[in-house]
Amino acid sequence: MPGQVRVAILGATGAVGAELMELLAQRQFPLAHLKLLASPRSAGTKLSFQGETLEVEAVSERSFKNIDLVLASAGGSTSKTWAPVAVAAGATVIDNSSAFRLESQVPLVIPEVNPQAAAQHLGIIANPNCTTILMAIAVWPLHRVQPVERLIAATYQSASGAGAQAMAEVKAQSQAILAGETPPTHSFPYPLAFNLFPHNSPLTDGGYCQEEMKMVNETRKIFNAPQLRISATCVRVPVLRAHSEAINLEFAEPFSVGSAREILASAPGVKLVEDWDANYFPMPIDATGKDEVLVGRIRQDLSHPCGLELWLCGDQIRKGAALNAIQIAELLLQNQWLAPQATALV
Ligand code: A2P
């Protein structure tokens, strides 16, 4: 590995960890060294990377010595424990969990939307929630032209959002149901195969679940629009990978469908997918493995003169998690922002 950056992946054995490794190789990230970290359960597991076999280590106090960059995707409590340790050891952490996203001194970054926010990091940069990233990629280019006044989202979220185990479980559930057996349910409270249910994240006092509130609070922070009115309904669907979202946008003035389509056709990170004659629009199977968020079915909201409706699908593990994190890392390197700008957050 002849590059300059010494990288550790925390959560290397997970679904996002695997995607991070694939993207580091694919995008020829300038790696000097790659360390794979996970829980003690995975210590000694061997994973291949660019023709080499790397052994997974259990994360410990010593894991971050001589590491420049940590890509963390091992859940909120793991990040809460280890991100400050990594920063104290001199590393910069790009954290995929929700642990630090709303902390005022932690930038919450989507490179296509608010790249400049990354410049001010103090050691930790948060990768937004996957559903929020996919929505923001499609809404930001329109919001820049005419601010969105109100946004209503309904999501159709795949099993991949709950990790590798959940994806395997949906397959096992499908097989069990087809064989007339009781489906195994460990990752979710209910069987997901041949079913759907409101998102299983904990409920908040107002009746919204945490996933819905992430879409509200994170979008406001990323857009720097604290008053933006947003409401979301998040639903788990029996799709393996790639989330879908129906988005209703309300503006102060009418926003023509033609100009929305034109803006989105050239927006970074967006691929316009619309074939009205064939009734063909974005689908999770088409979004799987793709870098772009597929957007289509842009139409006038017939219930409101200043409203637009759109539909999108995006790979939750890729742009919704691993790709966004790697793009943040690339942004830091391109701008020489890798080192924290001021006192480290410990
Ligand atoms: P492990 O495989 O050792 O449990 P996913 O989101 O696909 O379920 O992956 C979660 C990732 O986070 C896995 O790599 C998992 O490692 C890792 N992880 C979970 N808990 C911890 C922990 N306490 N310390 C370090 N890594 C953890």
Side-chain angles (χ1 to χ4, degrees), residues 110 113 131-153 215 219 223 228 230 245-251 255 263-264 267-268 270 293 295 308 310 312:
I110 303 174
V113 177
T131 321
T132 306
I133 293 177
L134 304 177
M135 178 173 77
I137 285 284
V139 174
W140 175 251
L142 305 174
H143 179 78
R144 284 181 70 179
V145 173
Q146 202 192 143
V148 172
E149 300 232 310
R150 184 164 179 246
L151 188 166
I152 311 290
M215 293 183 77
T219 306
F223 284 13
L228 182 58
I230 309 182
E245 305 182 29
I247 311 282
N248 180 276
L249 300 171
E250 188 182 320
F251 301 90
F255 202 128
I263 289 163
L264 288 169
V270 171
V293 176
V295 183
L308 279 183
L310 55 88
L312 64 86

Short mmCIF file of all heavy atoms in Angstrom, two decimals, residues 110 113 131-153 215 219 223 228 230 245-251 255 263-264 267-268 270 293 295 308 310 312:
data_model
loop_
_atom_site.label_atom_id
_atom_site.label_comp_id
_atom_site.label_asym_id
_atom_site.label_seq_id
_atom_site.Cartn_x
_atom_site.Cartn_y
_atom_site.Cartn_z
N ILE A 110 -22.58 16.08 3.98
CA ILE A 110 -22.81 15.39 2.70
C ILE A 110 -22.00 16.19 1.68
O ILE A 110 -22.31 17.37 1.45
CB ILE A 110 -24.30 15.39 2.30
CG1 ILE A 110 -25.16 14.75 3.40
CG2 ILE A 110 -24.50 14.66 0.99
CD1 ILE A 110 -26.66 14.85 3.15
N VAL A 113 -23.60 18.54 -0.64
CA VAL A 113 -24.49 19.56 -0.08
C VAL A 113 -23.72 20.62 0.72
O VAL A 113 -23.82 21.81 0.45
CB VAL A 113 -25.58 18.89 0.81
CG1 VAL A 113 -26.47 19.95 1.47
CG2 VAL A 113 -26.43 17.92 -0.01
N THR A 131 -31.17 7.55 5.32
CA THR A 131 -32.40 8.03 4.68
C THR A 131 -32.32 9.53 4.45
O THR A 131 -32.81 10.06 3.45
CB THR A 131 -33.61 7.69 5.58
OG1 THR A 131 -33.39 6.41 6.15
CG2 THR A 131 -34.89 7.66 4.82
N THR A 132 -31.68 10.21 5.41
CA THR A 132 -31.50 11.66 5.32
C THR A 132 -30.56 12.01 4.17
O THR A 132 -30.82 12.95 3.41
CB THR A 132 -30.93 12.19 6.66
OG1 THR A 132 -31.78 11.74 7.71
CG2 THR A 132 -30.84 13.69 6.66
N ILE A 133 -29.47 11.26 4.03
CA ILE A 133 -28.52 11.53 2.94
C ILE A 133 -29.24 11.42 1.60
O ILE A 133 -29.14 12.32 0.75
CB ILE A 133 -27.32 10.55 2.96
CG1 ILE A 133 -26.46 10.77 4.21
CG2 ILE A 133 -26.48 10.68 1.69
CD1 ILE A 133 -25.28 9.79 4.34
N LEU A 134 -29.97 10.33 1.40
CA LEU A 134 -30.61 10.10 0.11
C LEU A 134 -31.60 11.22 -0.21
O LEU A 134 -31.64 11.73 -1.33
CB LEU A 134 -31.30 8.73 0.10
CG LEU A 134 -30.40 7.52 0.43
CD1 LEU A 134 -31.20 6.24 0.45
CD2 LEU A 134 -29.23 7.41 -0.55
N MET A 135 -32.37 11.62 0.80
CA MET A 135 -33.35 12.69 0.60
C MET A 135 -32.65 14.02 0.31
O MET A 135 -33.03 14.75 -0.62
CB MET A 135 -34.23 12.83 1.85
CG MET A 135 -35.24 13.95 1.75
SD MET A 135 -36.37 13.93 3.15
CE MET A 135 -35.36 14.65 4.44
N ALA A 136 -31.60 14.31 1.08
CA ALA A 136 -30.92 15.60 0.93
C ALA A 136 -30.27 15.75 -0.44
O ALA A 136 -30.28 16.84 -1.02
CB ALA A 136 -29.87 15.75 2.03
N ILE A 137 -29.75 14.66 -0.97
CA ILE A 137 -29.11 14.71 -2.29
C ILE A 137 -30.12 15.16 -3.36
O ILE A 137 -29.78 15.91 -4.27
CB ILE A 137 -28.55 13.30 -2.65
CG1 ILE A 137 -27.29 13.01 -1.85
CG2 ILE A 137 -28.30 13.14 -4.15
CD1 ILE A 137 -26.05 13.72 -2.35
N ALA A 138 -31.37 14.73 -3.20
CA ALA A 138 -32.40 15.09 -4.20
C ALA A 138 -33.03 16.45 -3.92
O ALA A 138 -33.40 17.16 -4.84
CB ALA A 138 -33.48 14.01 -4.23
N VAL A 139 -33.15 16.81 -2.64
CA VAL A 139 -33.89 18.04 -2.30
C VAL A 139 -33.00 19.29 -2.34
O VAL A 139 -33.44 20.37 -2.75
CB VAL A 139 -34.57 17.89 -0.91
CG1 VAL A 139 -35.21 19.19 -0.46
CG2 VAL A 139 -35.61 16.77 -0.95
N TRP A 140 -31.73 19.13 -1.96
CA TRP A 140 -30.84 20.30 -1.87
C TRP A 140 -30.74 21.09 -3.18
O TRP A 140 -30.83 22.34 -3.15
CB TRP A 140 -29.45 19.83 -1.40
CG TRP A 140 -28.42 20.92 -1.38
CD1 TRP A 140 -27.37 21.08 -2.21
CD2 TRP A 140 -28.36 22.03 -0.45
NE1 TRP A 140 -26.64 22.20 -1.87
CE2 TRP A 140 -27.23 22.80 -0.80
CE3 TRP A 140 -29.15 22.44 0.62
CZ2 TRP A 140 -26.87 23.96 -0.11
CZ3 TRP A 140 -28.78 23.61 1.31
CH2 TRP A 140 -27.67 24.34 0.95
N PRO A 141 -30.58 20.45 -4.33
CA PRO A 141 -30.45 21.24 -5.56
C PRO A 141 -31.69 22.11 -5.83
O PRO A 141 -31.56 23.20 -6.39
CB PRO A 141 -30.30 20.18 -6.66
CG PRO A 141 -29.89 18.94 -5.95
CD PRO A 141 -30.49 19.01 -4.59
N LEU A 142 -32.87 21.66 -5.41
CA LEU A 142 -34.08 22.45 -5.57
C LEU A 142 -34.15 23.54 -4.50
O LEU A 142 -34.48 24.70 -4.79
CB LEU A 142 -35.32 21.54 -5.49
CG LEU A 142 -35.34 20.35 -6.46
CD1 LEU A 142 -36.54 19.45 -6.19
CD2 LEU A 142 -35.36 20.84 -7.91
N HIS A 143 -33.81 23.16 -3.28
CA HIS A 143 -33.83 24.09 -2.14
C HIS A 143 -32.91 25.29 -2.37
O HIS A 143 -33.21 26.40 -1.95
CB HIS A 143 -33.41 23.31 -0.88
CG HIS A 143 -33.36 24.12 0.37
ND1 HIS A 143 -34.49 24.46 1.08
CD2 HIS A 143 -32.32 24.66 1.05
CE1 HIS A 143 -34.15 25.17 2.14
NE2 HIS A 143 -32.83 25.32 2.14
N ARG A 144 -31.80 25.04 -3.08
CA ARG A 144 -30.84 26.14 -3.37
C ARG A 144 -31.45 27.17 -4.31
O ARG A 144 -31.14 28.35 -4.24
CB ARG A 144 -29.59 25.57 -4.07
CG ARG A 144 -28.67 24.86 -3.16
CD ARG A 144 -27.48 24.37 -3.93
NE ARG A 144 -26.64 25.50 -4.35
CZ ARG A 144 -25.52 25.35 -5.04
NH1 ARG A 144 -25.11 24.15 -5.40
NH2 ARG A 144 -24.80 26.38 -5.37
N VAL A 145 -32.31 26.70 -5.21
CA VAL A 145 -32.93 27.59 -6.20
C VAL A 145 -34.11 28.32 -5.58
O VAL A 145 -34.29 29.52 -5.76
CB VAL A 145 -33.37 26.77 -7.44
CG1 VAL A 145 -34.16 27.62 -8.41
CG2 VAL A 145 -32.14 26.17 -8.13
N GLN A 146 -34.90 27.58 -4.82
CA GLN A 146 -36.03 28.19 -4.12
C GLN A 146 -36.23 27.43 -2.80
O GLN A 146 -36.50 26.23 -2.83
CB GLN A 146 -37.31 28.08 -4.98
CG GLN A 146 -38.33 29.12 -4.58
CD GLN A 146 -39.71 28.91 -5.17
OE1 GLN A 146 -40.68 29.17 -4.50
NE2 GLN A 146 -39.82 28.44 -6.40
N PRO A 147 -36.04 28.12 -1.66
CA PRO A 147 -36.08 27.38 -0.39
C PRO A 147 -37.37 26.59 -0.19
O PRO A 147 -38.47 27.09 -0.46
CB PRO A 147 -35.97 28.48 0.67
CG PRO A 147 -35.36 29.64 -0.05
CD PRO A 147 -35.79 29.54 -1.49
N VAL A 148 -37.20 25.37 0.26
CA VAL A 148 -38.35 24.53 0.59
C VAL A 148 -38.98 25.09 1.86
O VAL A 148 -38.30 25.40 2.82
CB VAL A 148 -37.90 23.06 0.82
CG1 VAL A 148 -39.05 22.21 1.35
CG2 VAL A 148 -37.32 22.46 -0.44
N GLU A 149 -40.31 25.21 1.87
CA GLU A 149 -40.99 25.70 3.08
C GLU A 149 -41.47 24.55 3.95
O GLU A 149 -41.51 24.66 5.16
CB GLU A 149 -42.20 26.54 2.67
CG GLU A 149 -41.83 27.74 1.83
CD GLU A 149 -42.40 29.02 2.37
OE1 GLU A 149 -43.61 29.03 2.64
OE2 GLU A 149 -41.65 29.99 2.52
N ARG A 150 -41.86 23.46 3.28
CA ARG A 150 -42.36 22.30 4.05
C ARG A 150 -42.05 21.05 3.26
O ARG A 150 -42.17 21.04 2.03
CB ARG A 150 -43.87 22.45 4.25
CG ARG A 150 -44.50 21.38 5.10
CD ARG A 150 -45.87 21.82 5.57
NE ARG A 150 -46.51 20.77 6.37
CZ ARG A 150 -47.61 20.11 6.00
NH1 ARG A 150 -48.20 20.39 4.84
NH2 ARG A 150 -48.12 19.18 6.77
N LEU A 151 -41.63 20.01 3.97
CA LEU A 151 -41.23 18.76 3.32
C LEU A 151 -41.92 17.60 4.03
O LEU A 151 -41.83 17.47 5.26
CB LEU A 151 -39.70 18.64 3.45
CG LEU A 151 -38.94 17.53 2.72
CD1 LEU A 151 -37.45 17.84 2.72
CD2 LEU A 151 -39.18 16.16 3.27
N ILE A 152 -42.62 16.78 3.27
CA ILE A 152 -43.27 15.59 3.85
C ILE A 152 -42.66 14.36 3.17
O ILE A 152 -42.67 14.27 1.94
CB ILE A 152 -44.80 15.57 3.59
CG1 ILE A 152 -45.46 16.92 3.95
CG2 ILE A 152 -45.45 14.40 4.33
CD1 ILE A 152 -45.52 17.22 5.40
N ALA A 153 -42.15 13.45 3.98
CA ALA A 153 -41.50 12.26 3.40
C ALA A 153 -42.16 10.99 3.92
O ALA A 153 -42.56 10.91 5.09
CB ALA A 153 -40.01 12.24 3.79
N MET A 215 -34.42 12.35 10.36
CA MET A 215 -34.65 13.03 9.08
C MET A 215 -34.97 14.51 9.31
O MET A 215 -34.52 15.38 8.57
CB MET A 215 -35.80 12.36 8.31
CG MET A 215 -35.44 10.95 7.86
SD MET A 215 -36.74 10.18 6.89
CE MET A 215 -36.54 10.98 5.31
N THR A 219 -31.59 16.98 8.63
CA THR A 219 -31.78 17.80 7.41
C THR A 219 -31.68 19.28 7.77
O THR A 219 -31.04 20.06 7.06
CB THR A 219 -33.15 17.50 6.76
OG1 THR A 219 -33.22 16.09 6.54
CG2 THR A 219 -33.30 18.22 5.43
N PHE A 223 -28.78 21.49 5.99
CA PHE A 223 -29.22 22.61 5.13
C PHE A 223 -29.01 23.96 5.83
O PHE A 223 -29.25 24.99 5.22
CB PHE A 223 -30.72 22.46 4.79
CG PHE A 223 -31.04 21.43 3.75
CD1 PHE A 223 -30.12 20.48 3.34
CD2 PHE A 223 -32.30 21.41 3.15
CE1 PHE A 223 -30.44 19.52 2.38
CE2 PHE A 223 -32.63 20.46 2.18
CZ PHE A 223 -31.70 19.52 1.80
N LEU A 228 -36.88 24.79 9.06
CA LEU A 228 -37.51 24.02 7.98
C LEU A 228 -38.57 23.06 8.55
O LEU A 228 -38.30 22.30 9.47
CB LEU A 228 -36.43 23.25 7.22
CG LEU A 228 -36.88 22.42 6.01
CD1 LEU A 228 -37.59 23.26 4.97
CD2 LEU A 228 -35.68 21.72 5.38
N ILE A 230 -40.55 19.86 8.51
CA ILE A 230 -40.41 18.51 7.94
C ILE A 230 -41.23 17.54 8.77
O ILE A 230 -41.24 17.61 10.00
CB ILE A 230 -38.94 18.01 8.00
CG1 ILE A 230 -37.97 19.03 7.42
CG2 ILE A 230 -38.80 16.67 7.28
CD1 ILE A 230 -36.53 18.54 7.41
N GLU A 245 -38.03 6.52 -1.21
CA GLU A 245 -38.69 7.59 -0.47
C GLU A 245 -39.64 8.35 -1.39
O GLU A 245 -39.30 8.65 -2.54
CB GLU A 245 -37.65 8.58 0.08
CG GLU A 245 -36.59 7.91 0.94
CD GLU A 245 -35.56 8.88 1.53
OE1 GLU A 245 -35.91 10.06 1.76
OE2 GLU A 245 -34.42 8.45 1.76
N ALA A 246 -40.85 8.64 -0.89
CA ALA A 246 -41.78 9.53 -1.58
C ALA A 246 -41.68 10.87 -0.88
O ALA A 246 -41.84 10.95 0.35
CB ALA A 246 -43.19 8.97 -1.50
N ILE A 247 -41.39 11.93 -1.65
CA ILE A 247 -41.13 13.24 -1.05
C ILE A 247 -42.12 14.26 -1.61
O ILE A 247 -42.26 14.38 -2.82
CB ILE A 247 -39.70 13.75 -1.39
CG1 ILE A 247 -38.63 12.67 -1.12
CG2 ILE A 247 -39.38 15.06 -0.67
CD1 ILE A 247 -38.25 12.49 0.30
N ASN A 248 -42.75 15.00 -0.72
CA ASN A 248 -43.60 16.11 -1.12
C ASN A 248 -42.95 17.40 -0.65
O ASN A 248 -42.61 17.54 0.52
CB ASN A 248 -45.00 15.96 -0.49
CG ASN A 248 -45.91 17.11 -0.88
OD1 ASN A 248 -45.89 18.18 -0.28
ND2 ASN A 248 -46.70 16.89 -1.91
N LEU A 249 -42.76 18.32 -1.59
CA LEU A 249 -42.09 19.59 -1.27
C LEU A 249 -43.06 20.74 -1.50
O LEU A 249 -43.75 20.78 -2.52
CB LEU A 249 -40.87 19.78 -2.18
CG LEU A 249 -39.79 18.72 -2.10
CD1 LEU A 249 -38.76 18.92 -3.20
CD2 LEU A 249 -39.12 18.75 -0.73
N GLU A 250 -43.06 21.67 -0.55
CA GLU A 250 -43.89 22.86 -0.71
C GLU A 250 -42.98 24.09 -0.72
O GLU A 250 -42.12 24.22 0.15
CB GLU A 250 -44.88 22.93 0.46
CG GLU A 250 -45.91 23.99 0.32
CD GLU A 250 -46.82 24.02 1.55
OE1 GLU A 250 -47.18 22.94 2.08
OE2 GLU A 250 -47.15 25.13 1.99
N PHE A 251 -43.16 24.94 -1.70
CA PHE A 251 -42.35 26.16 -1.85
C PHE A 251 -43.25 27.38 -1.64
O PHE A 251 -44.48 27.26 -1.61
CB PHE A 251 -41.73 26.19 -3.25
CG PHE A 251 -40.85 25.01 -3.56
CD1 PHE A 251 -41.40 23.86 -4.14
CD2 PHE A 251 -39.50 25.02 -3.28
CE1 PHE A 251 -40.61 22.75 -4.42
CE2 PHE A 251 -38.70 23.92 -3.57
CZ PHE A 251 -39.25 22.79 -4.14
N PHE A 255 -43.02 25.95 -8.39
CA PHE A 255 -41.72 25.47 -8.89
C PHE A 255 -42.07 24.59 -10.08
O PHE A 255 -42.69 23.54 -9.90
CB PHE A 255 -41.02 24.67 -7.80
CG PHE A 255 -39.53 24.56 -7.96
CD1 PHE A 255 -38.67 24.90 -6.92
CD2 PHE A 255 -38.96 24.12 -9.16
CE1 PHE A 255 -37.29 24.81 -7.05
CE2 PHE A 255 -37.60 24.04 -9.31
CZ PHE A 255 -36.76 24.39 -8.26
N ILE A 263 -32.93 20.84 -13.26
CA ILE A 263 -31.97 21.01 -12.16
C ILE A 263 -31.47 19.64 -11.69
O ILE A 263 -30.28 19.42 -11.52
CB ILE A 263 -32.63 21.79 -10.99
CG1 ILE A 263 -32.85 23.25 -11.39
CG2 ILE A 263 -31.80 21.69 -9.71
CD1 ILE A 263 -33.85 23.98 -10.51
N LEU A 264 -32.41 18.71 -11.51
CA LEU A 264 -32.03 17.40 -10.99
C LEU A 264 -31.24 16.59 -12.01
O LEU A 264 -30.40 15.77 -11.63
CB LEU A 264 -33.26 16.64 -10.50
CG LEU A 264 -33.83 17.21 -9.19
CD1 LEU A 264 -35.20 16.62 -8.88
CD2 LEU A 264 -32.87 16.98 -8.03
N ALA A 267 -27.73 17.57 -11.29
CA ALA A 267 -27.32 17.73 -9.88
C ALA A 267 -26.31 16.65 -9.49
O ALA A 267 -26.45 15.49 -9.89
CB ALA A 267 -28.55 17.64 -8.98
N PRO A 268 -25.27 17.03 -8.72
CA PRO A 268 -24.27 16.03 -8.32
C PRO A 268 -24.87 14.94 -7.44
O PRO A 268 -25.65 15.22 -6.53
CB PRO A 268 -23.24 16.85 -7.52
CG PRO A 268 -23.92 18.11 -7.16
CD PRO A 268 -24.98 18.36 -8.18
N VAL A 270 -27.03 12.75 -8.33
CA VAL A 270 -28.39 12.40 -8.73
C VAL A 270 -28.38 11.78 -10.12
O VAL A 270 -27.64 12.23 -10.99
CB VAL A 270 -29.31 13.65 -8.77
CG1 VAL A 270 -30.66 13.33 -9.40
CG2 VAL A 270 -29.50 14.23 -7.38
N VAL A 293 -28.12 8.63 -6.39
CA VAL A 293 -29.51 8.49 -5.93
C VAL A 293 -30.38 8.62 -7.17
O VAL A 293 -30.26 9.59 -7.94
CB VAL A 293 -29.85 9.61 -4.91
CG1 VAL A 293 -31.31 9.53 -4.51
CG2 VAL A 293 -28.94 9.50 -3.69
N VAL A 295 -33.67 9.46 -9.04
CA VAL A 295 -34.81 10.34 -8.76
C VAL A 295 -35.72 10.37 -9.97
O VAL A 295 -35.24 10.42 -11.11
CB VAL A 295 -34.33 11.78 -8.43
CG1 VAL A 295 -35.53 12.66 -8.07
CG2 VAL A 295 -33.32 11.78 -7.30
N LEU A 308 -44.46 20.13 -5.15
CA LEU A 308 -43.89 19.15 -6.08
C LEU A 308 -43.85 17.80 -5.39
O LEU A 308 -43.61 17.72 -4.18
CB LEU A 308 -42.43 19.51 -6.44
CG LEU A 308 -42.13 20.56 -7.49
CD1 LEU A 308 -40.62 20.65 -7.69
CD2 LEU A 308 -42.82 20.24 -8.81
N LEU A 310 -41.92 13.97 -5.66
CA LEU A 310 -40.90 13.17 -6.34
C LEU A 310 -40.67 11.86 -5.60
O LEU A 310 -41.09 11.69 -4.45
CB LEU A 310 -39.59 13.95 -6.54
CG LEU A 310 -38.88 14.58 -5.36
CD1 LEU A 310 -37.93 13.60 -4.73
CD2 LEU A 310 -38.10 15.80 -5.85
N LEU A 312 -37.69 8.66 -5.01
CA LEU A 312 -36.27 8.35 -5.16
C LEU A 312 -35.93 6.99 -4.57
O LEU A 312 -36.64 6.47 -3.70
CB LEU A 312 -35.40 9.44 -4.50
CG LEU A 312 -35.48 9.64 -2.98
CD1 LEU A 312 -34.55 8.69 -2.24
CD2 LEU A 312 -35.12 11.07 -2.63
#
